[in-house]
Amino acid sequence: MGLLSKLVTRTRDKPQNRTSGSSYSFLFGGSTSGKAVNERSSMQMTAVYACVRILAEAIAGLPLHLYRHDDDSSKHKAKDHPLYTLLHSEPNAEMTSFVFRETLMTHLLLWGNAYAQIIRNGKGQVAALYPLMPNRMQVDRDKHGKLYYQYTTSAEDAPTMQGNSVVLDASEVLHIPGLGFDGLVGYSPIAMAKNAIGMAIACEEYGAKFFANGAAPSGVLEHPGTVKDPSRLRDTWQGQFGGSSNSHKVAVLEEGMKYTPISISPEQAQFLQTRKFQINEIARIFRVPPHMVGDLEKSSFSNIEQQSLEFVKYTLDPWVIRWEQALSRALLASDEKQTHFFRFNVEGLLRGDYQSRMGGYATARQNGWMSANDIRTLEDMDQIADEDGGNLYLINGNMLPLSRAGAFADKVTNTSQEESNEEQEVLAMEKPERRRRQSENP
């Protein structure tokens, strides 16, 4: 990995203090339910795994392009820039762009921060980006107040670097922080909501043990006399009828034994509703619509499309903006920030049904603010050549600018005036002739 290029650990002046965000943190660990909650145990919850996967795959699947502003205020893809291929296709020799962004987004959702080491060539250009584990990164300030990142390596990075500490400048780290107090270090959503997730883990464990230990039939064995070895009898019964795989077996009782079934208490019967509420609670943490994690109770054909659009607008957009601005801040040179910018294309997710799209395109085309090629671009279709009118902007012929209101009436008035002038000329030419006739015929 890129850390191999920093085998010699650089030393820093003794830190004056840590960043305010990293000095106070929400810790993983025990919850009020008694269950330990961390990034690994929480991912074993189906709701957490579903939410993280949905958001990580959504960000990773969006097309990411580097654009350049031209002198005519238009924008074009900067395909000739080295960063374009790096972010769009292959950030390093080991990963595709999809896997790289999916990994960083997973870190961001679980730990609240995403880090990647920036490898530069001799010209100072970005040559590669390698993800770094957030749980082994520490953000500090030196005595001059300058930020630096201290990363502890392990055998997962390289067998020869286990336990070494690598110090990186702020210019060598792509850092995407989540929600935090100081704007520098984000807080883990898992750690902040560990009690809700811990309760969901407890409910899941309770349900698993309920079916694992429950016997069918379930109840109390009564013996008219004294049982010599009750433990052996209980173990034998449990081995034959315990667990979901032995449910509904026929039990044969001897020596006057009697089986008394015990009904499930209302508290036990309500645990399914409790588990369902915890799924909605976890979806609320990540702001994911319940229908995307399998809860279709309040979804219908009339509102599920609107919920999907709201997911893009209120859930994905804030993450997209974090990514775009962090990439521009860390990867673009100072002079390039005035002319270049990163942009995720979310148009494909915002498109409605076919009829709505065609109606919108027709309105845009008839009012002159979209050309045929603009529409075909949004629909991922080939462009029409300029000589065939692909880039023409058209409007209806009966529409005029406001400044020319009444032009039709002016045309009519001018025409009438011209006709009146012609009549006057004809009358002026005929007047001498009428006078001659009158003189000859008094």
Side-chain angles (χ1 to χ4, degrees), residues 262-322:
I262 299 177
S263 61
I264 300 176
S265 65
E267 291 79 9
Q268 292 174 333
Q270 290 295 323
F271 89 95
L272 287 177
Q273 285 78 2
T274 303
R275 287 201 63 195
K276 184 177 180 181
F277 174 78
Q278 290 307 118
I279 291 176
N280 290 332
E281 187 84 344
I282 293 172
R284 187 180 299 118
I285 296 171
F286 294 98
R287 202 186 295 173
V288 173
H291 76 271
M292 299 189 73
V293 293
D295 185 3
L296 301 176
E297 181 179 1
K298 296 184 179 179
S299 299
S300 63
F301 290 107
S302 60
N303 67 5
I304 198 166
E305 180 180 353
Q306 184 62 34
Q307 291 184 49
S308 299
L309 294 177
E310 290 179 354
F311 169 73
V312 177
K313 184 176 181 180
Y314 298 113
T315 304
L316 281 187
D317 266 359
W319 291 116
V320 164
I321 294 173
R322 287 181 190 273

Side-chain angles (χ1 to χ4, degrees), residues 419-432:
E419 293 176 352
S420 177
N421 293 338
E422 291 177 357
E423 292 178 357
Q424 293 295 332
E425 293 177 359
V426 172
L427 292 175
M429 293 174 63
E430 293 178 350
K431 190 173 183 179

Side-chain angles (χ1 to χ4, degrees), residues 89 100 179 268 427:
S89 303
F100 174 78
L179 179 65
Q268 292 174 333
L427 292 175

Side-chain angles (χ1 to χ4, degrees), residues 83-378:
L83 285 174
Y84 184 90
T85 303
L86 198 71
L87 271 302
H88 182 267
S89 303
E90 188 175 329
N92 58 64
E94 302 172 354
M95 302 177 185
T96 62
S97 178
F98 183 96
V99 173
F100 174 78
R101 285 183 278 155
E102 182 184 43
T103 301
L104 288 191
M105 190 63 193
T106 302
H107 292 174
L108 195 54
L109 294 169
L110 293 179
W111 283 281
N113 295 276
Y115 302 96
Q117 186 187 7
I118 303 173
I119 306 299
R120 301 181 187 271
N121 56 22
K123 298 180 181 180
Q125 299 174 335
V126 180
L129 296 169
Y130 286 92
L132 300 174
M133 292 299 294
N135 59 331
R136 290 190 268 124
M137 181 68 77
Q138 182 177 338
V139 184
D140 287 325
R141 294 185 187 272
D142 59 23
K143 67 179 184 179
H144 302 292
K146 184 178 179 180
L147 282 175
Y148 70 92
Y149 296 80
Q150 186 171 351
Y151 187 72
T152 303
T153 62
S154 71
E156 297 177 2
D157 301 317
T160 59
M161 298 180 63
Q162 186 171 4
N164 293 334
S165 180
V166 179
V167 177
L168 302 170
D169 289 321
S171 60
E172 297 176 298
V173 177
L174 167 63
H175 180 196
I176 308 174
L179 179 65
F181 287 165
D182 62 351
L184 297 175
V185 179
Y187 293 139
S188 167
I190 302 299
M192 297 183 72
K194 65 180 180 180
N195 287 329
I197 298 175
M199 183 175 179
I201 294 175
C203 290
E204 187 177 68
E205 183 178 336
Y206 172 84
K209 289 184 177 181
F210 175 79
F211 289 105
N213 299 328
S218 177
V220 177
L221 285 174
E222 298 181 3
H223 194 278
T226 302
V227 179
K228 297 181 180 179
D229 193 351
S231 298
R232 180 174 175 274
L233 178 62
R234 181 176 60 250
D235 294 340
T236 302
W237 179 271
Q238 182 66 23
Q240 293 182 358
F241 304 107
S244 57
S245 60
N246 297 322
S247 59
H248 304 295
K249 281 188 175 181
V250 177
V252 178
L253 303 179
E254 299 178 353
E255 299 180 359
M257 294 182 65
K258 180 180 179 183
Y259 175 79
T260 304
I262 299 177
S263 61
I264 300 176
S265 65
E267 291 79 9
Q268 292 174 333
Q270 290 295 323
F271 89 95
L272 287 177
Q273 285 78 2
T274 303
R275 287 201 63 195
K276 184 177 180 181
F277 174 78
Q278 290 307 118
I279 291 176
N280 290 332
E281 187 84 344
I282 293 172
R284 187 180 299 118
I285 296 171
F286 294 98
R287 202 186 295 173
V288 173
H291 76 271
M292 299 189 73
V293 293
D295 185 3
L296 301 176
E297 181 179 1
K298 296 184 179 179
S299 299
S300 63
F301 290 107
S302 60
N303 67 5
I304 198 166
E305 180 180 353
Q306 184 62 34
Q307 291 184 49
S308 299
L309 294 177
E310 290 179 354
F311 169 73
V312 177
K313 184 176 181 180
Y314 298 113
T315 304
L316 281 187
D317 266 359
W319 291 116
V320 164
I321 294 173
R322 287 181 190 273
W323 271 84
E324 291 173 346
Q325 295 185 356
L327 292 173
S328 298
R329 183 192 62 83
L331 303 182
L332 293 177
S334 298
D335 56 338
E336 292 177 336
K337 293 179 181 179
Q338 305 298 324
T339 57
H340 292 72
F341 63 94
F342 290 95
R343 184 61 51 86
F344 285 89
N345 185 5
V346 297
E347 294 297 332
L349 298 178
L350 293 174
R351 291 191 300 182
D353 59 274
Y354 184 81
Q355 182 177 0
S356 300
R357 296 203 314 274
M358 294 304 108
Y361 292 151
T363 301
R365 179 73 165 146
Q366 294 170 6
N367 287 278
W369 55 275
M370 288 188 76
S371 66
N373 281 340
D374 293 336
I375 298 173
R376 295 176 71 88
T377 299
L378 295 178

Side-chain angles (χ1 to χ4, degrees), residues 423-442:
E423 292 178 357
Q424 293 295 332
E425 293 177 359
V426 172
L427 292 175
M429 293 174 63
E430 293 178 350
K431 190 173 183 179
E433 182 64 22
R434 287 200 300 269
R435 288 179 179 178
R436 187 183 64 79
R437 291 177 181 176
Q438 290 178 358
S439 61
E440 293 176 354
N441 299 301

Side-chain angles (χ1 to χ4, degrees), residues 47-91:
V48 175
Y49 181 84
C51 291
V52 171
R53 182 180 178 182
I54 288 169
L55 292 174
E57 291 180 346
I59 294 297
L62 290 175
L64 175 59
H65 302 289
L66 176 65
Y67 289 92
R68 178 182 61 251
H69 283 297
D70 293 334
D71 295 335
D72 58 355
S73 299
S74 61
K75 67 176 183 178
H76 298 282
K77 295 177 183 177
K79 294 185 178 181
D80 56 341
H81 198 288
L83 285 174
Y84 184 90
T85 303
L86 198 71
L87 271 302
H88 182 267
S89 303
E90 188 175 329

